[in-house]
Amino acid sequence: MIWNTMMGTSILSIPWGIKQAGFTTGMCVIMLMGILTLYCCYRVVKSRSMISSVDTSTWEYPDVCRYYFGSFGQWSSLLFSLVSLIGAMIVYWVLMSNFLFNTGRFIFNFIHHINDTDAVLSTNDSNPVICPSAGSGDHPNNDSMIFYANDTGLEQFEKWWNKSKTVPFYLIGLLLPLLNFKSPSFFSKFNILGTVSVLYLIFLVTFKAIHLGFHLEFHWFMQTEYFVPEIRFQFPQLTGVLTLAFFIHNCIITLLKNNKNQENNVRDLSIAYMLVTLTYLYIGVLVFASFPSPPLTKDCIEQNFLDNFPSSDILSFIARIFLLFQMMTVYPLLGYLARVQLLGHVFGDVYPSIFHVLTLNLIIVGAGVIMACFYPNIGGIIRYSGAACGLAFVFIYPSLIYMISLRQEDRLTWPKLIFHIFIIILGLANLIVQFFM
């Protein structure tokens, strides 16, 4: 359950994050961030038991924050929780636009017998890998990559089926009505799609890695024509992505409440984090190691690694279809959670009126459309929102609450104080450095 909930859109950006950090550094960062976020999540789980003066059996983590920090803790935890939810919804909108665009292009190309790898840098084999950004994975190409002149049908297709100018708006008609439902129970029935999608991605990268083979050449500090160095100063971009990739701290208490044996909570949490870490390592390492360089360069790895496979690739087409339907069912659930948290706190009612709900949903959808049109870089969105919400829920609140509770019991020692202050400093540095990378 925890593994299924934690695995999200960040998995698509892990190979790009490893490329930014360097192969060896990237693997080390993934393992260290997994351990650090697990410890902070453990502190969240244990936070209620540190309060002995009142009954905390029904409390959620914002209630714990309110107990220690008053109304500031309540509203600040709400703010950062909304940042994580809305950030995830924006990433979903960008990805859904991407998947819908590529799905439409696959169908059009199939009908008209068009090979879309002719227009981009790619490997020349029966199962090609492409470099849509022509060597720069940091600035994905937002437009159609079909450049066949003097064909009215193709020109019209490119005009009306554009990744950044038209497709994000088409999704409004599909998803805005779904956000206004009073209950998300219908969409919660499709949670199994998340597990199926991740398992299919594991199969996809395994199959591609077997077909492509490994392409690795180790240079610790020097950039070569086809390979990135093992250690790169852009590694904080990966830490920002991983903060959101390992983020479950705002709902972990709710998830573990359903455990029949509460004494197994720590064990189950540790196993879940171990599985998530191994999944990220498996996907990231296989995609990075098997990326064909030469003839392409490792810098071609995209922020969404599926963009490195042409829309005509059948296996990638199936992956995009799986992910598109999964995200279309999860998106209304995230919108419902945002509505419950914001409107429930402000108005005391999760559905005060259709006007309130529609206004909130229009703001959220508008943010997604704007980002899909002007900044469709999911790696950037994930690392900024991850570092921001992680600052509070992962690094600051768990450490501060633990130190305060130990202080109240006269059990706070210098090693524990220094260690948890160091965690808070890491969280601050993780957020600040995102704006300089």
mmCIF file of all heavy atoms in Angstrom, residues 377-404:
data_model
loop_
_atom_site.group_PDB
_atom_site.id
_atom_site.type_symbol
_atom_site.label_atom_id
_atom_site.label_comp_id
_atom_site.label_asym_id
_atom_site.label_seq_id
_atom_site.Cartn_x
_atom_site.Cartn_y
_atom_site.Cartn_z
ATOM 1 N N ASN A 377 8.678 21.377 -18.138
ATOM 2 C CA ASN A 377 9.847 20.634 -17.653
ATOM 3 C C ASN A 377 9.502 19.959 -16.336
ATOM 4 O O ASN A 377 9.598 20.566 -15.262
ATOM 5 C CB ASN A 377 11.041 21.577 -17.471
ATOM 6 C CG ASN A 377 11.388 22.312 -18.745
ATOM 7 O OD1 ASN A 377 11.409 21.733 -19.822
ATOM 8 N ND2 ASN A 377 11.648 23.601 -18.632
ATOM 9 N N ILE A 378 9.092 18.690 -16.396
ATOM 10 C CA ILE A 378 8.596 18.042 -15.180
ATOM 11 C C ILE A 378 9.694 17.890 -14.138
ATOM 12 O O ILE A 378 9.421 17.932 -12.937
ATOM 13 C CB ILE A 378 7.956 16.676 -15.492
ATOM 14 C CG1 ILE A 378 8.998 15.687 -16.049
ATOM 15 C CG2 ILE A 378 6.795 16.825 -16.435
ATOM 16 C CD1 ILE A 378 8.503 14.265 -16.058
ATOM 17 N N GLY A 379 10.945 17.749 -14.585
ATOM 18 C CA GLY A 379 12.042 17.643 -13.627
ATOM 19 C C GLY A 379 12.159 18.903 -12.797
ATOM 20 O O GLY A 379 12.343 18.851 -11.571
ATOM 21 N N GLY A 380 12.034 20.056 -13.438
ATOM 22 C CA GLY A 380 12.095 21.323 -12.720
ATOM 23 C C GLY A 380 10.926 21.502 -11.776
ATOM 24 O O GLY A 380 11.090 21.910 -10.616
ATOM 25 N N ILE A 381 9.711 21.190 -12.248
ATOM 26 C CA ILE A 381 8.525 21.342 -11.406
ATOM 27 C C ILE A 381 8.611 20.424 -10.190
ATOM 28 O O ILE A 381 8.313 20.823 -9.060
ATOM 29 C CB ILE A 381 7.249 21.041 -12.216
ATOM 30 C CG1 ILE A 381 7.132 21.996 -13.408
ATOM 31 C CG2 ILE A 381 6.014 21.170 -11.331
ATOM 32 C CD1 ILE A 381 6.027 21.620 -14.388
ATOM 33 N N ILE A 382 9.032 19.187 -10.416
ATOM 34 C CA ILE A 382 9.114 18.218 -9.322
ATOM 35 C C ILE A 382 10.140 18.654 -8.285
ATOM 36 O O ILE A 382 9.893 18.613 -7.076
ATOM 37 C CB ILE A 382 9.468 16.818 -9.862
ATOM 38 C CG1 ILE A 382 8.282 16.229 -10.626
ATOM 39 C CG2 ILE A 382 9.874 15.876 -8.733
ATOM 40 C CD1 ILE A 382 8.601 14.936 -11.333
ATOM 41 N N ARG A 383 11.317 19.111 -8.743
ATOM 42 C CA ARG A 383 12.360 19.433 -7.763
ATOM 43 C C ARG A 383 12.035 20.704 -6.985
ATOM 44 O O ARG A 383 12.326 20.788 -5.786
ATOM 45 C CB ARG A 383 13.728 19.524 -8.428
ATOM 46 C CG ARG A 383 13.955 20.638 -9.410
ATOM 47 C CD ARG A 383 15.297 20.447 -10.127
ATOM 48 N NE ARG A 383 15.613 21.495 -11.088
ATOM 49 C CZ ARG A 383 16.314 22.582 -10.817
ATOM 50 N NH1 ARG A 383 16.758 22.770 -9.585
ATOM 51 N NH2 ARG A 383 16.573 23.481 -11.731
ATOM 52 N N TYR A 384 11.394 21.686 -7.615
ATOM 53 C CA TYR A 384 11.023 22.899 -6.884
ATOM 54 C C TYR A 384 9.928 22.612 -5.858
ATOM 55 O O TYR A 384 10.037 22.990 -4.691
ATOM 56 C CB TYR A 384 10.566 23.992 -7.854
ATOM 57 C CG TYR A 384 11.681 24.622 -8.646
ATOM 58 C CD1 TYR A 384 11.644 24.640 -10.042
ATOM 59 C CD2 TYR A 384 12.782 25.197 -8.016
ATOM 60 C CE1 TYR A 384 12.672 25.213 -10.785
ATOM 61 C CE2 TYR A 384 13.807 25.767 -8.745
ATOM 62 C CZ TYR A 384 13.752 25.770 -10.131
ATOM 63 O OH TYR A 384 14.769 26.332 -10.865
ATOM 64 N N SER A 385 8.849 21.951 -6.304
ATOM 65 C CA SER A 385 7.751 21.662 -5.378
ATOM 66 C C SER A 385 8.187 20.653 -4.325
ATOM 67 O O SER A 385 7.780 20.752 -3.155
ATOM 68 C CB SER A 385 6.536 21.134 -6.145
ATOM 69 O OG SER A 385 6.847 19.953 -6.862
ATOM 70 N N GLY A 386 9.024 19.683 -4.713
ATOM 71 C CA GLY A 386 9.505 18.699 -3.753
ATOM 72 C C GLY A 386 10.367 19.323 -2.677
ATOM 73 O O GLY A 386 10.197 19.030 -1.480
ATOM 74 N N ALA A 387 11.279 20.189 -3.080
ATOM 75 C CA ALA A 387 12.150 20.841 -2.100
ATOM 76 C C ALA A 387 11.358 21.769 -1.187
ATOM 77 O O ALA A 387 11.666 21.897 0.007
ATOM 78 C CB ALA A 387 13.254 21.616 -2.820
ATOM 79 N N ALA A 388 10.310 22.414 -1.730
ATOM 80 C CA ALA A 388 9.514 23.351 -0.934
ATOM 81 C C ALA A 388 8.674 22.619 0.113
ATOM 82 O O ALA A 388 8.722 22.946 1.310
ATOM 83 C CB ALA A 388 8.610 24.179 -1.851
ATOM 84 N N CYS A 389 7.878 21.623 -0.341
ATOM 85 C CA CYS A 389 7.031 20.916 0.630
ATOM 86 C C CYS A 389 7.861 20.028 1.542
ATOM 87 O O CYS A 389 7.527 19.834 2.715
ATOM 88 C CB CYS A 389 5.963 20.100 -0.087
ATOM 89 S SG CYS A 389 6.565 18.702 -1.054
ATOM 90 N N GLY A 390 8.977 19.494 1.013
ATOM 91 C CA GLY A 390 9.841 18.661 1.839
ATOM 92 C C GLY A 390 10.527 19.437 2.938
ATOM 93 O O GLY A 390 10.855 18.872 3.990
ATOM 94 N N LEU A 391 10.755 20.732 2.701
ATOM 95 C CA LEU A 391 11.402 21.555 3.722
ATOM 96 C C LEU A 391 10.637 21.483 5.029
ATOM 97 O O LEU A 391 11.231 21.331 6.110
ATOM 98 C CB LEU A 391 11.488 23.007 3.244
ATOM 99 C CG LEU A 391 12.037 24.026 4.251
ATOM 100 C CD1 LEU A 391 13.482 23.722 4.594
ATOM 101 C CD2 LEU A 391 11.877 25.443 3.723
ATOM 102 N N ALA A 392 9.304 21.563 4.948
ATOM 103 C CA ALA A 392 8.494 21.539 6.166
ATOM 104 C C ALA A 392 8.238 20.120 6.648
ATOM 105 O O ALA A 392 8.569 19.765 7.786
ATOM 106 C CB ALA A 392 7.164 22.256 5.910
ATOM 107 N N PHE A 393 7.657 19.290 5.782
ATOM 108 C CA PHE A 393 7.164 17.981 6.215
ATOM 109 C C PHE A 393 8.256 16.941 6.388
ATOM 110 O O PHE A 393 8.097 16.001 7.160
ATOM 111 C CB PHE A 393 6.116 17.458 5.218
ATOM 112 C CG PHE A 393 4.743 18.007 5.442
ATOM 113 C CD1 PHE A 393 4.229 18.981 4.611
ATOM 114 C CD2 PHE A 393 3.971 17.556 6.498
ATOM 115 C CE1 PHE A 393 2.963 19.488 4.819
ATOM 116 C CE2 PHE A 393 2.704 18.058 6.712
ATOM 117 C CZ PHE A 393 2.193 19.036 5.872
ATOM 118 N N VAL A 394 9.346 17.071 5.646
ATOM 119 C CA VAL A 394 10.396 16.054 5.715
ATOM 120 C C VAL A 394 11.504 16.456 6.676
ATOM 121 O O VAL A 394 11.970 15.640 7.484
ATOM 122 C CB VAL A 394 10.988 15.784 4.311
ATOM 123 C CG1 VAL A 394 12.106 14.733 4.382
ATOM 124 C CG2 VAL A 394 9.901 15.316 3.357
ATOM 125 N N PHE A 395 11.919 17.718 6.615
ATOM 126 C CA PHE A 395 13.121 18.113 7.337
ATOM 127 C C PHE A 395 12.844 18.900 8.629
ATOM 128 O O PHE A 395 13.382 18.564 9.686
ATOM 129 C CB PHE A 395 14.025 18.945 6.421
ATOM 130 C CG PHE A 395 14.507 18.203 5.209
ATOM 131 C CD1 PHE A 395 13.945 18.431 3.961
ATOM 132 C CD2 PHE A 395 15.510 17.255 5.309
ATOM 133 C CE1 PHE A 395 14.380 17.737 2.840
ATOM 134 C CE2 PHE A 395 15.959 16.559 4.204
ATOM 135 C CZ PHE A 395 15.390 16.798 2.963
ATOM 136 N N ILE A 396 12.010 19.945 8.563
ATOM 137 C CA ILE A 396 11.891 20.857 9.700
ATOM 138 C C ILE A 396 10.950 20.316 10.785
ATOM 139 O O ILE A 396 11.354 20.141 11.942
ATOM 140 C CB ILE A 396 11.440 22.254 9.234
ATOM 141 C CG1 ILE A 396 12.551 22.917 8.410
ATOM 142 C CG2 ILE A 396 11.088 23.128 10.439
ATOM 143 C CD1 ILE A 396 12.236 24.335 7.964
ATOM 144 N N TYR A 397 9.680 20.066 10.428
ATOM 145 C CA TYR A 397 8.706 19.690 11.448
ATOM 146 C C TYR A 397 9.069 18.406 12.204
ATOM 147 O O TYR A 397 9.021 18.387 13.448
ATOM 148 C CB TYR A 397 7.312 19.567 10.828
ATOM 149 C CG TYR A 397 6.669 20.887 10.494
ATOM 150 C CD1 TYR A 397 5.683 20.982 9.525
ATOM 151 C CD2 TYR A 397 7.050 22.054 11.144
ATOM 152 C CE1 TYR A 397 5.092 22.196 9.206
ATOM 153 C CE2 TYR A 397 6.474 23.269 10.834
ATOM 154 C CZ TYR A 397 5.485 23.339 9.864
ATOM 155 O OH TYR A 397 4.920 24.537 9.558
ATOM 156 N N PRO A 398 9.431 17.304 11.518
ATOM 157 C CA PRO A 398 9.769 16.088 12.281
ATOM 158 C C PRO A 398 10.933 16.300 13.242
ATOM 159 O O PRO A 398 10.897 15.816 14.381
ATOM 160 C CB PRO A 398 10.120 15.076 11.187
ATOM 161 C CG PRO A 398 9.401 15.559 9.974
ATOM 162 C CD PRO A 398 9.440 17.043 10.063
ATOM 163 N N SER A 399 11.952 17.042 12.783
ATOM 164 C CA SER A 399 13.121 17.261 13.633
ATOM 165 C C SER A 399 12.797 18.185 14.805
ATOM 166 O O SER A 399 13.182 17.917 15.951
ATOM 167 C CB SER A 399 14.274 17.846 12.806
ATOM 168 O OG SER A 399 14.679 16.949 11.798
ATOM 169 N N LEU A 400 12.097 19.292 14.524
ATOM 170 C CA LEU A 400 11.756 20.235 15.588
ATOM 171 C C LEU A 400 10.858 19.595 16.631
ATOM 172 O O LEU A 400 11.062 19.766 17.844
ATOM 173 C CB LEU A 400 11.076 21.470 14.991
ATOM 174 C CG LEU A 400 11.975 22.593 14.473
ATOM 175 C CD1 LEU A 400 11.133 23.758 13.964
ATOM 176 C CD2 LEU A 400 12.939 23.066 15.555
ATOM 177 N N ILE A 401 9.838 18.870 16.179
ATOM 178 C CA ILE A 401 8.908 18.237 17.117
ATOM 179 C C ILE A 401 9.640 17.227 18.000
ATOM 180 O O ILE A 401 9.399 17.148 19.214
ATOM 181 C CB ILE A 401 7.748 17.575 16.339
ATOM 182 C CG1 ILE A 401 6.826 18.660 15.778
ATOM 183 C CG2 ILE A 401 6.970 16.605 17.225
ATOM 184 C CD1 ILE A 401 5.736 18.131 14.864
ATOM 185 N N TYR A 402 10.543 16.471 17.401
ATOM 186 C CA TYR A 402 11.291 15.497 18.184
ATOM 187 C C TYR A 402 12.182 16.180 19.216
ATOM 188 O O TYR A 402 12.234 15.772 20.396
ATOM 189 C CB TYR A 402 12.130 14.631 17.251
ATOM 190 C CG TYR A 402 12.897 13.533 17.952
ATOM 191 C CD1 TYR A 402 12.233 12.559 18.699
ATOM 192 C CD2 TYR A 402 14.285 13.456 17.869
ATOM 193 C CE1 TYR A 402 12.936 11.542 19.342
ATOM 194 C CE2 TYR A 402 14.990 12.444 18.494
ATOM 195 C CZ TYR A 402 14.308 11.497 19.236
ATOM 196 O OH TYR A 402 15.006 10.492 19.870
ATOM 197 N N MET A 403 12.857 17.269 18.804
ATOM 198 C CA MET A 403 13.725 17.977 19.741
ATOM 199 C C MET A 403 12.928 18.625 20.869
ATOM 200 O O MET A 403 13.339 18.604 22.037
ATOM 201 C CB MET A 403 14.560 19.026 18.997
ATOM 202 C CG MET A 403 15.654 18.433 18.121
ATOM 203 S SD MET A 403 16.785 19.686 17.434
ATOM 204 C CE MET A 403 15.704 20.554 16.296
ATOM 205 N N ILE A 404 11.772 19.202 20.534
ATOM 206 C CA ILE A 404 10.946 19.837 21.566
ATOM 207 C C ILE A 404 10.430 18.814 22.566
ATOM 208 O O ILE A 404 10.447 19.041 23.789
ATOM 209 C CB ILE A 404 9.768 20.598 20.904
ATOM 210 C CG1 ILE A 404 10.289 21.799 20.115
ATOM 211 C CG2 ILE A 404 8.760 21.049 21.955
ATOM 212 C CD1 ILE A 404 9.217 22.494 19.291
#
